[in-house]
Amino acid sequence: MAVDYLVIVVYLAGMLAMGWWGMRRAKSKSEFLVAGRRLGPAMYSGTMAAIVLGGASTIGGVGLGYQYGLSGAWMVFTIGLGLLALSVFFSARIARLKVYTVSEMLDLRYGGRAGVISGLVMWAYTLMLAVTSTIAYATIFDVLFDMNRTLAIVLGGSIVVAYSTLGGMWSITLTDMVQFVVKTIGVLLLLLPIAVVKAGGFSEMKAQLPTEYFDPLGIGGETIFTYVLIYTFGMLIGQDIWQRVFTARGDRTARWGGTIAGTYCLAYAVAGAVIGTAAKVLYPKLASPDDAFATIVKDELPVGVRGLVLAAALAAVMSTSSGALIACATVANNDIWARLRGIVRPEGEQHDEVKGNRAFILLMGLAVIVTAIALNDVVQALTVAYNLLVGGLLVPILGGLLWKRGTAQGALASVAVGGLAVISLMTAYGILANEPVYYGLLASLAAYVAVSLATRPTDAAVLAAWRERLAGRAPEPGTVSETVSEQVPAAQ
């Protein structure tokens, strides 16, 4: 195991070094929060794939394959479908808005009255998303070092908080590119073929397992539909995803780079399910499906390769964790704290804004670590996060992009009714029930349409300014450095 330990230690040290390097580039708010909006296709595709494929997609995806066979791919597959839909239909318009948060988009569209409430919902989602990723460190470090759960969460979380605080989105972008490469090599090129060979090949897997393990719909139609509602639609509106779209240097990068990343997610989904199916042949009686990934890595891979694949799992967790953390801090600082204090920052205070956002990443990081230590159930935390996101914000966000008759009052009613409905129904039916997101989404839609039609249309001047931003004709407000950054070659 000494070689495996060395691989992991070198990897973690590299993450911190990337954070230090990114700190030297993040000199303005735009550089710190959205990497100067200058990522080219290669870096954009890699970092987008890295953030959406986290510990749940890797460890959880293999676990679903272990439990359901090939149909266990559907959870990660719907994530890929959501990323494809976002990239093809919405990403160009989102990138042209030149904002930093989803709530800023809602303010632009509806006239500046939806920010704080939507910010609170988005903050709760990003916080819980960061928490679920941080909890996953316990599983990985337990396999690596037989480490205490609390210590594992503190160690993994501290590394992510450190490099995210140092360089913001530039550090996260650089580390995500490394993580994307490590995941591709570790999971797709090494673990996948080795697992299939160890299980005796596909013919032996089919002979050993029930036929439903190879039924593409074996996991159940209702489960697939729920995955689409939660994950496909969740990809369309999450702050962590939008903040990556904001890093694209232009429309084509956002559209085609995201399409490549979405296609990669589809392949990753199938790979995870196949690995899990192979693990079922090798270890038919594991205590938990989520143990499948760690077990097959620990028992079947040679020294050195095992360290790289565990580094891949660690990379998956870190990429999602860091993306959710900066999204949580961005929302907390820009959508909630600044608005509640009534702060209006004059132009030219980029250094102060960098310090403020850096402080919020540190503060939110500490909150995430403490919450992760207190919670045990990753699935419940993730379900709460996505139910709140989809039930509270899907309708007003997509409505604002697609329906010009939507109003600020309709958006606020939609967020409030949808969010409260989801919380109430989770209390009544249980956190893991499907009904909260179904009925919460319907309640949100009904409130949005009814209140919008019952109130005055959005002011023509607001809609005109909105159309200018959507067309990319309006400059990004409040940044002196934007003109300078345009002259710097885009990162490829």
Side-chain angles (χ1 to χ4, degrees), residues 37-40 170 249 485-492:
R37 308 189 196 274
R38 294 193 282 114
L39 296 192
W170 265 122
R249 74 181 185 201
S485 67
E486 292 290 332
Q487 302 168 1
V488 181
Q492 294 294 327

Side-chain angles (χ1 to χ4, degrees), residues 464-479:
W466 166 252
R467 286 191 291 268
E468 287 293 303
R469 292 295 284 270
L470 275 181
R473 291 190 290 265
E476 181 177 352
T479 54

Side-chain angles (χ1 to χ4, degrees), residues 10-353:
V10 169
Y11 170 76
L12 294 176
M15 296 300 98
L16 292 173
M18 292 288 185
W20 183 263
W21 191 84
M23 182 177 67
R24 300 172 61 186
R25 301 198 64 164
K27 302 299 184 183
S28 70
K29 178 181 179 181
S30 177
E31 295 281 352
F32 191 82
L33 294 182
V34 292
R37 308 189 196 274
R38 294 193 282 114
L39 296 192
M43 290 192 75
Y44 180 85
S45 299
T47 57
M48 182 63 88
I51 188 177
V52 300
L53 296 174
S57 299
T58 303
I59 298 170
V62 171
L64 287 171
Y66 183 90
Q67 187 172 2
Y68 298 105
L70 297 186
S71 66
W74 273 106
M75 184 187 77
V76 183
F77 204 84
T78 54
I79 290 174
L81 292 178
L83 188 51
L84 285 171
L86 173 72
S87 302
V88 172
F89 298 113
F90 300 108
S91 62
R93 281 184 285 178
I94 292 171
R96 287 196 294 263
L97 290 174
K98 302 292 185 185
V99 295
Y100 293 98
T101 68
V102 174
S103 294
E104 287 181 31
M105 167 264 168
L106 292 173
D107 277 352
L108 280 172
R109 169 59 182 82
Y110 294 113
R113 285 174 286 178
V116 174
I117 294 178
S118 62
L120 287 170
V121 175
M122 190 63 76
W123 175 79
Y125 157 72
T126 52
L127 178 70
M128 295 309 294
L129 185 62
V131 166
T132 58
S133 300
T134 304
I135 291 173
Y137 295 129
T139 301
I140 299 170
F141 283 109
D142 177 58
V143 174
L144 281 172
F145 308 116
D146 193 24
M147 187 179 292
N148 173 270
R149 177 182 183 273
T150 299
L151 182 59
I153 289 172
V154 171
L155 176 61
S158 296
I159 292 170
V160 170
V161 172
Y163 73 69
S164 301
T165 302
L166 285 172
M169 186 59 81
W170 265 122
S171 293
I172 293 171
T173 296
L174 295 170
T175 54
D176 277 358
M177 278 304 299
V178 176
Q179 290 159 357
F180 170 75
V181 172
V182 171
K183 279 192 287 191
T184 301
I185 295 173
V187 175
L188 297 184
L189 301 184
L190 292 176
L191 182 58
L192 174 61
I194 290 173
V196 172
V197 170
K198 291 284 187 177
F202 284 102
S203 59
E204 183 65 18
M205 290 163 63
K206 287 184 177 180
Q208 292 287 334
L209 296 172
T211 55
E212 56 262 29
Y213 263 71
F214 301 92
D215 180 359
L217 304 179
I219 199 170
E222 184 179 357
T223 298
I224 295 171
F225 179 69
T226 303
Y227 284 160
V228 170
L229 273 186
I230 293 177
Y231 296 114
T232 300
F233 286 112
M235 287 296 105
L236 299 180
I237 58 175
Q239 169 67 25
D240 53 323
I241 309 303
W242 277 41
Q243 200 156 344
R244 295 310 173 100
V245 176
F246 300 152
T247 67
R249 74 181 185 201
D251 295 3
R252 288 178 60 85
T253 296
R255 184 181 294 112
W256 291 109
T259 300
I260 293 170
T263 304
Y264 178 90
C265 292
L266 302 183
Y268 201 89
V270 175
V274 171
I275 293 167
T277 305
K280 184 67 175 180
V281 174
L282 294 167
Y283 312 99
K285 295 183 179 180
L286 290 178
S288 169
D290 285 341
D291 293 337
F293 180 89
T295 302
I296 197 169
V297 169
K298 191 174 183 179
D299 293 349
E300 303 297 336
L301 298 185
V303 173
V305 173
R306 179 170 51 215
L308 183 60
V309 174
L310 286 171
L314 195 57
V317 174
M318 284 188 162
S319 56
T320 300
S321 181
S322 59
L325 176 59
I326 194 172
C328 178
T330 302
V331 171
N333 187 21
N334 294 273
D335 290 337
I336 300 174
W337 180 245
R339 294 167 191 263
L340 291 178
R341 290 184 60 193
I343 296 174
V344 179
R345 295 185 176 93
E347 294 186 4
E349 288 192 5
Q350 287 86 1
H351 290 290
D352 288 343
E353 293 199 86

